[in-house]
Amino acid sequence: MTGTGEEFDRAFWEERYHGHGGHGGGRPNPQLVAEVAELPPGTALDAGCGAGADAIWLAARGWRVTAVDIAEAALDRARRHAADAAEEVAGRIEWVRADLTEWAPPERFDLVTTHYVHAAGSQDELVRTLAGLVAPGGTLLVVGHHHGDPSIASTHFTADEVAAVLDPDVWTVAVAESRTRPAPAGHGGTMHDTVLRGHRRPV
Ligand SMILES: C[S@@+](CC[C@H](N)C(=O)[O-])C[C@H]1O[C@@H](n2cnc3c(N)ncnc32)[C@H](O)[C@@H]1O
């Protein structure tokens, strides 16, 4: 994987969510639903949560979710969406404004899930950081844009490139593939997702 470019800094994302753009409202990501629905709930980190649909879906399934985003404007939207959910669901989510490349939580998570997060700087480094936040026995789910996706080419990466960042003595890769799905309403065409699900071995 390569760096995705300096343009994806906090100002870029704040601007995006202040306008009509932004990501992660509406329905949960189908790759998340496919990969996580069978896991028993525990603690989860939604890294780069955007407008919160994935975090809310996880919380509705009993996960205690820490939902992190660099953009306050994204979290404002997410909190508004969560206010429409049942109180006990919203109560299971903590919204945190932080830069994932610098953030150091006090404990690790049973699940770390990240969807289409293009941080300024190295994508490898971001994956390495997020993998380090998975507790022993826990799961890492990385979903991104695969080559051929109608998104900015510098954000594209493959599951094999993600897997190459994970230490094989520590990680079992259960899923490493590309999948297509219909684009969200208004975007047209077909999305090409990279999906990697890995499990950190228990110690
Ligand atoms: C393309 S959006 C995806 C949002 C959501 N995960 C989804 O699937 O719809 C990328 C998100 O990552 C956030 N983000 C980018 N760089 C980040 C960083 N360094 N730390 C935390 N969040 C970041 C952005 O603010 C944005 O909400």
Side-chain angles (χ1 to χ4, degrees), residues 6 51 85-86 108 123 148 162 166 171 182-185 198:
E6 287 302 315
R108 292 189 280 178
Q123 193 76 8
V162 180
L166 302 177
W171 290 92

PDB file of all heavy atoms in Angstrom, residues 6 51 85-86 108 123 148 162 166 171 182-185 198:
ATOM      1  N   GLU A   6      -1.477  13.913   1.452  1.00  0.00           N
ATOM      2  CA  GLU A   6      -1.676  14.868   2.540  1.00  0.00           C
ATOM      3  C   GLU A   6      -3.044  15.515   2.500  1.00  0.00           C
ATOM      4  O   GLU A   6      -3.448  16.175   3.433  1.00  0.00           O
ATOM      5  CB  GLU A   6      -0.588  15.942   2.465  1.00  0.00           C
ATOM      6  CG  GLU A   6       0.789  15.462   2.892  1.00  0.00           C
ATOM      7  CD  GLU A   6       0.806  14.916   4.308  1.00  0.00           C
ATOM      8  OE1 GLU A   6       0.224  15.535   5.204  1.00  0.00           O
ATOM      9  OE2 GLU A   6       1.394  13.847   4.506  1.00  0.00           O
ATOM     10  N   ALA A  51     -20.480   9.139   9.779  1.00  0.00           N
ATOM     11  CA  ALA A  51     -21.777   9.536  10.327  1.00  0.00           C
ATOM     12  C   ALA A  51     -22.449   8.450  11.165  1.00  0.00           C
ATOM     13  O   ALA A  51     -23.607   8.589  11.545  1.00  0.00           O
ATOM     14  CB  ALA A  51     -22.693   9.987   9.203  1.00  0.00           C
ATOM     15  N   ALA A  85     -31.905   6.282  17.599  1.00  0.00           N
ATOM     16  CA  ALA A  85     -31.891   4.864  17.983  1.00  0.00           C
ATOM     17  C   ALA A  85     -32.428   4.719  19.405  1.00  0.00           C
ATOM     18  O   ALA A  85     -32.600   5.714  20.120  1.00  0.00           O
ATOM     19  CB  ALA A  85     -30.452   4.338  17.922  1.00  0.00           C
ATOM     20  N   ALA A  86     -32.698   3.473  19.798  1.00  0.00           N
ATOM     21  CA  ALA A  86     -33.168   3.232  21.164  1.00  0.00           C
ATOM     22  C   ALA A  86     -32.112   3.737  22.153  1.00  0.00           C
ATOM     23  O   ALA A  86     -30.911   3.690  21.870  1.00  0.00           O
ATOM     24  CB  ALA A  86     -33.411   1.743  21.366  1.00  0.00           C
ATOM     25  N   ARG A 108      -7.333  -2.506  24.756  1.00  0.00           N
ATOM     26  CA  ARG A 108      -7.534  -3.006  23.400  1.00  0.00           C
ATOM     27  C   ARG A 108      -8.968  -3.546  23.246  1.00  0.00           C
ATOM     28  O   ARG A 108      -9.702  -3.677  24.221  1.00  0.00           O
ATOM     29  CB  ARG A 108      -6.483  -4.070  23.088  1.00  0.00           C
ATOM     30  CG  ARG A 108      -5.102  -3.417  23.004  1.00  0.00           C
ATOM     31  CD  ARG A 108      -4.054  -4.363  22.482  1.00  0.00           C
ATOM     32  NE  ARG A 108      -3.586  -5.274  23.527  1.00  0.00           N
ATOM     33  CZ  ARG A 108      -2.690  -6.238  23.322  1.00  0.00           C
ATOM     34  NH1 ARG A 108      -2.193  -6.435  22.110  1.00  0.00           N
ATOM     35  NH2 ARG A 108      -2.297  -7.018  24.302  1.00  0.00           N
ATOM     36  N   GLN A 123      -0.792   4.272   4.638  1.00  0.00           N
ATOM     37  CA  GLN A 123      -1.902   3.348   4.913  1.00  0.00           C
ATOM     38  C   GLN A 123      -1.382   2.122   5.670  1.00  0.00           C
ATOM     39  O   GLN A 123      -2.057   1.599   6.548  1.00  0.00           O
ATOM     40  CB  GLN A 123      -2.549   2.942   3.586  1.00  0.00           C
ATOM     41  CG  GLN A 123      -3.893   2.255   3.719  1.00  0.00           C
ATOM     42  CD  GLN A 123      -5.045   3.220   4.053  1.00  0.00           C
ATOM     43  OE1 GLN A 123      -4.863   4.436   4.039  1.00  0.00           O
ATOM     44  NE2 GLN A 123      -6.200   2.683   4.370  1.00  0.00           N
ATOM     45  N   GLY A 148     -10.189  -0.502  -9.387  1.00  0.00           N
ATOM     46  CA  GLY A 148     -11.369  -0.617 -10.245  1.00  0.00           C
ATOM     47  C   GLY A 148     -12.577   0.056  -9.632  1.00  0.00           C
ATOM     48  O   GLY A 148     -13.593   0.253 -10.299  1.00  0.00           O
ATOM     49  N   VAL A 162      -2.925  -5.528   2.707  1.00  0.00           N
ATOM     50  CA  VAL A 162      -3.226  -5.397   4.147  1.00  0.00           C
ATOM     51  C   VAL A 162      -2.620  -6.582   4.893  1.00  0.00           C
ATOM     52  O   VAL A 162      -1.956  -6.415   5.934  1.00  0.00           O
ATOM     53  CB  VAL A 162      -4.747  -5.340   4.400  1.00  0.00           C
ATOM     54  CG1 VAL A 162      -5.023  -5.214   5.897  1.00  0.00           C
ATOM     55  CG2 VAL A 162      -5.390  -4.193   3.642  1.00  0.00           C
ATOM     56  N   LEU A 166       0.440  -7.631   8.443  1.00  0.00           N
ATOM     57  CA  LEU A 166       0.148  -8.364   9.681  1.00  0.00           C
ATOM     58  C   LEU A 166       1.190  -9.455   9.916  1.00  0.00           C
ATOM     59  O   LEU A 166       1.474 -10.257   9.013  1.00  0.00           O
ATOM     60  CB  LEU A 166      -1.254  -8.987   9.595  1.00  0.00           C
ATOM     61  CG  LEU A 166      -2.402  -7.999   9.347  1.00  0.00           C
ATOM     62  CD1 LEU A 166      -3.726  -8.757   9.204  1.00  0.00           C
ATOM     63  CD2 LEU A 166      -2.487  -6.962  10.466  1.00  0.00           C
ATOM     64  N   TRP A 171      -1.147 -13.286  13.634  1.00  0.00           N
ATOM     65  CA  TRP A 171      -2.437 -13.144  12.959  1.00  0.00           C
ATOM     66  C   TRP A 171      -2.779 -14.345  12.095  1.00  0.00           C
ATOM     67  O   TRP A 171      -1.906 -14.896  11.412  1.00  0.00           O
ATOM     68  CB  TRP A 171      -2.424 -11.901  12.059  1.00  0.00           C
ATOM     69  CG  TRP A 171      -2.418 -10.642  12.858  1.00  0.00           C
ATOM     70  CD1 TRP A 171      -1.322  -9.941  13.276  1.00  0.00           C
ATOM     71  CD2 TRP A 171      -3.562  -9.972  13.382  1.00  0.00           C
ATOM     72  NE1 TRP A 171      -1.722  -8.865  14.026  1.00  0.00           N
ATOM     73  CE2 TRP A 171      -3.082  -8.856  14.107  1.00  0.00           C
ATOM     74  CE3 TRP A 171      -4.935 -10.196  13.310  1.00  0.00           C
ATOM     75  CZ2 TRP A 171      -3.949  -7.978  14.767  1.00  0.00           C
ATOM     76  CZ3 TRP A 171      -5.793  -9.318  13.959  1.00  0.00           C
ATOM     77  CH2 TRP A 171      -5.295  -8.229  14.671  1.00  0.00           C
ATOM     78  N   PRO A 182     -23.534  -3.048  -5.053  1.00  0.00           N
ATOM     79  CA  PRO A 182     -24.124  -1.904  -5.740  1.00  0.00           C
ATOM     80  C   PRO A 182     -23.716  -0.620  -5.029  1.00  0.00           C
ATOM     81  O   PRO A 182     -23.631  -0.585  -3.800  1.00  0.00           O
ATOM     82  CB  PRO A 182     -25.634  -2.136  -5.611  1.00  0.00           C
ATOM     83  CG  PRO A 182     -25.801  -3.533  -5.126  1.00  0.00           C
ATOM     84  CD  PRO A 182     -24.534  -3.946  -4.462  1.00  0.00           C
ATOM     85  N   ALA A 183     -23.439   0.423  -5.772  1.00  0.00           N
ATOM     86  CA  ALA A 183     -23.093   1.708  -5.166  1.00  0.00           C
ATOM     87  C   ALA A 183     -24.300   2.250  -4.402  1.00  0.00           C
ATOM     88  O   ALA A 183     -25.448   1.951  -4.752  1.00  0.00           O
ATOM     89  CB  ALA A 183     -22.665   2.688  -6.251  1.00  0.00           C
ATOM     90  N   PRO A 184     -24.043   3.051  -3.350  1.00  0.00           N
ATOM     91  CA  PRO A 184     -25.161   3.669  -2.623  1.00  0.00           C
ATOM     92  C   PRO A 184     -26.000   4.544  -3.549  1.00  0.00           C
ATOM     93  O   PRO A 184     -25.501   5.012  -4.580  1.00  0.00           O
ATOM     94  CB  PRO A 184     -24.475   4.533  -1.563  1.00  0.00           C
ATOM     95  CG  PRO A 184     -23.054   4.095  -1.511  1.00  0.00           C
ATOM     96  CD  PRO A 184     -22.743   3.451  -2.827  1.00  0.00           C
ATOM     97  N   ALA A 185     -27.256   4.767  -3.166  1.00  0.00           N
ATOM     98  CA  ALA A 185     -28.176   5.561  -3.980  1.00  0.00           C
ATOM     99  C   ALA A 185     -27.529   6.886  -4.373  1.00  0.00           C
ATOM    100  O   ALA A 185     -26.907   7.560  -3.548  1.00  0.00           O
ATOM    101  CB  ALA A 185     -29.458   5.815  -3.196  1.00  0.00           C
ATOM    102  N   GLY A 198      -9.089 -10.543   9.914  1.00  0.00           N
ATOM    103  CA  GLY A 198      -8.000 -11.279  10.558  1.00  0.00           C
ATOM    104  C   GLY A 198      -8.310 -11.493  12.028  1.00  0.00           C
ATOM    105  O   GLY A 198      -9.071 -10.729  12.636  1.00  0.00           O
TER     106      GLY A 198
END
